[in-house]
Amino acid sequence: MKWMAGFTKFWAYVSFGLVCGVILFLFGYVFYRGAGTISVEFLTEAPKGLVLGEEGGIFPAIIGSLFFTGTAVVLGGIPALASALYLVFYCQNKKVERLLHLVIQCISGIPSIVLGLFAYSFLVRDLNLGRCILSAGTALAIMILPFIEVRAEKAFREIPACMIQSSYALGCSRFYTITRIILPACRGELVSGIILGGCYAMGATAPMIFTGAVAYAAVPESLLSPAMALPLHLYLLLAQGATSMDTAYGTAFVMMAIILISNMLATIYARRSQKKWKRS
Amino acid sequence: MRRKLNLLFSLFIYILTALAVLVLGFVIYFIVKEALPLFSEVSVGEFLLGTRWMPIAYTGSVSFGIFNFIAATVYVSFTAMVLAVGVGLGASVFLSCVATDRMRGILYPFVDLLAGIPSVIYGFIGLSVLVKIFLKAGVHTGSCVLAAGILLAVMLLPFLVASCSETMLKEREKYEAAADALGISRWYAVATIILPASFKNILLSMILAIGRAMGETMAVMMVMGNSNLFPRLLGKSESIASVIALEMGTAVYGSTHYHALYGAGLVLMILLFLINIIINLVRSRMVQE
């Protein structure tokens, strides 16, 4: 039976090495291949040339992606926080709670492409919004709503009950308790949850193929105009063949850099505002 | 004034929650509604078990059978899960039993980076690295189910590692003192106590991982070759999500093709729903024990 111990040890070290290797490879590969394309012009100019991405930069796609992400975070984040607050502090009926959890679980199980399909038929066609940032943003918002809700609810439930009880015992209203005690206490988790949800929305391609992202557009002026988006731009560059691989690597570089930076910010912020009762 | 504020805030929370639930419920209702007209033209059995997918009648008759797509979706998710568990379990043993608390604080966010990478980038790297390797190894055109499985496995890793190492950490805290007292070596304790004790939770996260893999669209679509064939490890195939993504732009609104795509989406949703039910059943049984 001694071999089992040795085998497990070997297995653990090798597979952890493999995981780290894969992560370093993914980031290293994209950064290495994309670094040559990155320049001030690439980041601040619109695509030019006959074939998409042959010349020029990706500025409208960066701004477009920010618009999509912003819309999704506002439309999805606020209801997500509200329903998490409701579930933890307002809801007293077990059945209602179970129903809410069921619906949220169902939605988080819906593949993102089906959400795109829904937004296309309902928002773009039936409501006649057309392909625009708002339609795609709504699809993305529905996608990240469960993501943020689950994290927020977990954070709220981790607050020690005595803190909430003390606040009520002092005669504070629910509003006061939530805004002055609970939200500040969970600040770290909430902000990092929203940042990660935003990253998730930014990287999703499937929900916006038919609903708002287009191959070429100027910098959007309102929420009712279509826009370019980084992930779709990358996909289209790949789909048209090997003509603009450099731009594709550059686009991937920009996306990976955004993901890496916002992940780091989220982690650092969450750690800095770690709660006092968790620190030993 | 203060009481009004309190009331207003409660109202705000109630309305937003109701809105969120209504919208989410409406999405589910809408998808079912758009899928149902299909079954007045194509029978359920024909749709689920047929292997011919001919949405446009330029070669004879139209036909809507998604059996190959369902098989491909399940097959590729299963492949991905098997690959991911092999590596993910080892990595979680490392994280829960070797790493110190400080190391964990750095390594968890590091592994989580994998979850943040957009699927289109996975597809991109799959195309420019994996597919080329498969091409050199002699697979025609390089795109195959195994390539998609490997990509998906990497995408599943952060979820598997997070949930498995959490379970193992709990089991370790429970049994470590006893194992030390008996003088068992650490690795022997890991192999014979901690791993078997966390087996059930590992199984649960494996099922969850399959569910996650089934809904993935872009990465799979980009490296799987997309042709209506029964999946083989080194052959091309097409998943349900890819069919929807590839054909939605060309389907005429209100046509059978359009409803069939919604039908495919509904099938995918039901598969995921079944997985959720299985998980809840297993979990409630575990609580009872």
Side-chain angles (χ1 to χ4, degrees):
Chain A
M1 291 300 270
K2 196 129 196 226
W3 64 269
M4 269 175 80
F7 173 73
T8 317
K9 186 174 179 181
F10 175 74
W11 180 34
Y13 279 99
V14 167
S15 29
F16 192 72
L18 200 63
V19 171
C20 290
V22 167
I23 300 172
L24 292 178
F25 170 76
L26 287 172
F27 279 92
Y29 183 77
V30 170
F31 286 153
Y32 172 71
R33 298 291 297 262
T37 322
I38 300 296
S39 63
V40 178
E41 289 86 52
F42 184 70
L43 294 177
T44 55
E45 276 181 14
K48 285 180 208 145
L50 284 176
V51 181
L52 182 69
E54 210 175 28
E55 293 165 43
I58 53 166
F59 183 64
I62 298 178
I63 301 298
S65 261
L66 290 181
F67 266 88
F68 284 116
T69 313
T71 321
V73 166
V74 170
L75 287 181
I78 295 173
L81 291 185
S83 33
L85 280 175
Y86 174 79
L87 276 170
V88 180
F89 299 106
Y90 286 83
C91 183
Q92 267 135 20
N93 188 334
K94 278 278 168 213
K95 270 187 191 152
V96 175
E97 193 183 325
R98 217 173 294 159
L99 179 79
L100 271 167
H101 277 142
L102 183 76
V103 172
I104 287 165
Q105 211 179 31
C106 276
I107 289 294
S108 67
I110 293 184
S112 57
I113 182 67
V114 178
L115 286 178
L117 202 60
F118 161 78
Y120 173 68
S121 308
F122 185 68
L123 297 170
V124 177
R125 274 178 188 287
D126 293 359
L127 291 187
N128 228 341
L129 283 173
R131 285 186 174 199
C132 63
I133 297 177
L134 190 63
S135 315
T138 314
L140 293 172
I142 298 174
M143 184 179 87
I144 62 172
L145 202 154
F147 183 90
I148 298 178
E149 198 278 338
V150 169
R151 273 152 206 261
E153 196 184 327
K154 188 163 170 261
F156 292 146
R157 291 212 193 269
E158 273 174 4
I159 294 182
C162 60
M163 265 173 81
I164 302 160
Q165 282 157 5
S166 322
S167 166
Y168 286 155
L170 287 168
C172 298
S173 68
R174 247 196 295 220
F175 171 68
Y176 192 87
T177 315
I178 288 174
T179 49
R180 293 297 168 88
I181 294 173
I182 289 155
L183 291 183
C186 302
R187 201 174 63 219
E189 272 111 332
L190 295 183
V191 170
S192 75
I194 288 175
I195 291 180
L196 293 179
C199 279
Y200 183 33
M202 196 204 82
T205 323
M208 50 188 177
I209 300 181
F210 312 114
T211 53
V214 289
Y216 181 76
V219 173
E221 277 162 4
S222 82
L223 287 184
L224 290 174
S225 55
M228 290 176 75
L230 287 171
L232 189 74
H233 189 63
L234 175 57
Y235 177 66
L236 292 174
L237 289 177
L238 292 174
Q240 74 188 12
T243 50
S244 21
M245 281 316 263
D246 285 340
T247 327
Y249 279 112
T251 314
F253 182 106
V254 173
M255 280 169 79
M256 289 290 250
I258 296 177
I259 300 289
L260 191 64
I261 291 170
S262 27
N263 260 289
M264 264 157 47
L265 284 181
T267 312
I268 292 170
Y269 189 76
R271 187 153 312 158
R272 276 199 136 181
S273 48
Q274 205 173 45
K275 281 152 264 163
K276 290 180 195 83
W277 66 84
K278 267 194 178 169
R279 265 187 218 142
S280 45
Chain B
M1 179 62 202
R2 200 176 285 169
R3 184 168 294 170
K4 258 186 198 157
L5 211 62
N6 189 23
L7 204 70
L8 213 66
F9 185 72
S10 307
L11 208 67
F12 179 69
I13 297 276
Y14 281 122
I15 290 175
L16 275 179
T17 310
L19 195 75
V21 174
L22 281 181
V23 168
L24 300 188
F26 180 74
V27 172
I28 299 171
Y29 162 77
F30 191 86
I31 291 165
V32 175
K33 190 198 86 180
E34 290 289 310
L36 283 182
L38 171 75
F39 299 110
S40 61
E41 294 178 48
V42 184
S43 75
V44 178
E46 207 180 314
F47 184 61
L48 291 181
L49 299 175
T51 54
R52 262 187 82 230
W53 175 265
M54 280 286 159
I56 301 162
Y58 48 68
T59 50
S61 58
V62 291
S63 139
F64 298 95
I66 58 165
F67 181 71
N68 282 338
F69 303 144
I70 299 179
T73 306
V74 175
Y75 192 95
V76 74
S77 313
F78 206 78
T79 317
M81 194 272 292
V82 170
L83 290 173
V85 161
V87 180
L89 269 188
S92 355
V93 168
F94 182 90
L95 277 173
S96 59
C97 303
V98 181
T100 56
D101 264 339
R102 278 193 75 161
M103 273 165 84
R104 262 196 288 279
I106 300 166
L107 290 176
Y108 269 133
F110 183 61
V111 174
D112 260 349
L113 278 178
L114 278 180
I117 301 178
S119 63
V120 86
I121 290 196
Y122 278 109
F124 177 39
I125 294 175
L127 266 183
S128 48
V129 179
L130 268 181
V131 167
K132 282 193 183 138
I133 293 174
F134 276 106
L135 193 62
K136 273 201 189 124
V139 181
H140 289 292
T141 73
S143 30
C144 60
V145 175
L146 186 60
I150 295 174
L151 270 192
L152 267 181
V154 177
M155 299 173 76
L156 293 182
L157 270 177
F159 303 105
L160 268 176
V161 169
S163 64
C164 291
S165 61
E166 194 184 336
T167 317
M168 287 182 196
L169 207 59
K170 270 186 203 146
E171 299 296 339
R172 180 186 150 197
E173 274 163 14
K174 221 189 309 181
Y175 295 113
E176 196 177 32
D180 279 350
L182 287 172
I184 303 175
S185 84
R186 184 167 59 163
W187 287 103
Y188 191 76
V190 172
T192 53
I193 302 169
I194 296 177
L195 274 178
S198 31
F199 175 73
K200 273 185 191 154
N201 274 310
I202 292 171
L203 203 67
L204 214 60
S205 21
M206 278 160 67
I207 307 175
L208 209 66
I210 290 191
R212 261 182 193 286
M214 285 203 312
E216 186 43 55
T217 320
M218 297 309 288
V220 174
M221 182 168 110
M222 288 161 86
V223 296
M224 207 151 84
N226 300 325
S227 51
N228 181 10
L229 295 169
F230 192 80
R232 282 181 307 112
L233 214 49
L234 291 177
K236 292 180 179 183
S237 200
E238 186 167 8
S239 74
I240 299 179
S242 334
V243 180
I244 301 173
L246 287 171
E247 298 187 4
M248 199 58 212
T250 55
V252 181
Y253 179 70
S255 63
T256 319
H257 185 194
Y258 171 87
H259 291 304
L261 290 178
Y262 263 98
L266 182 66
V267 169
L268 193 53
M269 232 168 82
I270 292 174
L271 278 176
L272 288 163
F273 192 64
L274 285 180
I275 285 182
N276 268 330
I277 290 180
I278 293 174
I279 289 173
N280 283 340
L281 274 182
V282 175
R283 200 172 276 161
S284 65
R285 186 166 289 178
M286 267 163 49
V287 171
Q288 268 173 20
E289 278 174 13

